Amino acid sequence: RAGGAYREGDRWQVRASYATSEKDDQESLTLLKDIESSRLRLNAQVKLAEPLTIGGAYLQRDRDYPALDVTATGKRTSGFARVALAAWGTASVEYAYSDDEYVDQAGAFRADNSTVTARVDLTGVANLRLGGGLTYLDLGKDLDVEKSILTFDGQYDLSRDYFVSVRYNVYNYDDFVLLDRYFTSNVVWLNVGYKLPVD
């Protein structure tokens, strides 16, 4: 793995990295056995004003499974914007698009994915943190799938050592190729915790 970064204070920064790996499962202990992969990643972000930061990323990835005679190649581009207000909290939105091709013994298979993610975290009230987010995925080309996740969460510090937190998620999944494959689920987490000292 090799990479580098350049940063100009907290105004802007760029990063680039390349990684490659190879795994040989000579004893056939895993299902996928031998794996070869490489990844090129480019990132950049700029603080346009004190509360506003924007950025983007590019990713190119290649994977090869010789034992299964399968290859996967793809590219992913993304962009984001984030607003951070010290007295209130943060809000961010990100859009990502990926295009992947899979080739196996039966032929080629393509899938693209558009993903939108938005999140708001409020920290303006002492000992209370509230947040919410939305993730929407649209898979196309040889697939026709839509997925979404809606999240609400909060945490209140009862004292210096104890806290209570609640999170509620709504999941939706629709496969328009297979008409009977869809679901909606609601999940609630309730936690009461103790903060362990780190010193």
Side-chain angles (χ1 to χ4, degrees):
R1 182 168 188 253
Y6 184 80
R7 183 170 184 168
E8 185 69 28
D10 62 350
R11 292 291 304 276
W12 60 274
Q13 64 177 355
V14 293
R15 290 176 295 170
S17 65
Y18 175 79
T20 181
S21 63
E22 181 177 350
K23 184 187 78 172
D24 296 321
D25 183 12
Q26 298 179 355
E27 298 179 353
S28 299
L29 300 178
T30 63
L31 177 63
L32 296 179
K33 298 182 180 179
D34 302 340
I35 299 175
E36 301 173 6
S37 64
S38 63
R39 175 174 296 184
L40 172 66
R41 186 191 301 268
L42 306 172
N43 299 81
Q45 71 175 44
V46 180
K47 179 177 286 189
L48 296 180
E50 183 57 34
L52 176 61
T53 302
I54 64 171
Y58 171 80
L59 175 66
Q60 181 175 329
R61 54 197 174 190
D62 300 302
R63 289 159 290 175
D64 190 11
Y65 308 91
L68 303 178
D69 194 18
V70 173
T71 61
T73 60
K75 299 177 181 179
R76 183 179 187 271
T77 56
S78 62
F80 76 90
R82 180 175 63 246
V83 176
L85 299 174
W88 295 97
T90 61
S92 62
V93 61
E94 179 181 9
Y95 173 77
Y97 175 79
S98 63
D99 190 355
D100 297 278
E101 181 178 15
Y102 304 86
V103 179
D104 58 17
Q105 299 177 4
F109 176 85
R110 294 187 67 89
D112 66 349
N113 182 2
S114 295
T115 305
V116 178
T117 304
R119 171 100 189 154
V120 175
D121 291 284
L122 302 176
T123 57
V125 179
N127 301 322
L128 178 64
R129 289 181 290 278
L130 299 175
L134 170 67
T135 300
Y136 173 77
L137 301 90
D138 184 9
L139 288 78
K141 293 194 174 176
D142 291 333
L143 295 177
D144 191 2
V145 174
E146 288 185 2
K147 298 171 63 177
S148 64
I149 304 172
L150 187 61
T151 302
F152 301 96
D153 53 74
Q155 177 175 316
Y156 182 72
D157 295 332
L158 300 173
S159 65
R160 187 182 67 177
D161 298 326
Y162 294 93
F163 68 90
V164 60
S165 65
V166 178
R167 188 167 78 177
Y168 172 55
N169 278 14
V170 181
Y171 300 91
N172 288 289
Y173 176 92
D174 288 293
D175 190 334
F176 297 103
V177 176
L178 301 175
L179 298 180
D180 60 343
R181 185 175 296 178
Y182 64 92
F183 71 83
T184 298
S185 63
N186 299 268
V187 183
V188 178
W189 289 266
L190 175 61
N191 300 301
V192 177
Y194 174 75
K195 300 177 183 178
L196 295 174
V198 295
D199 53 355

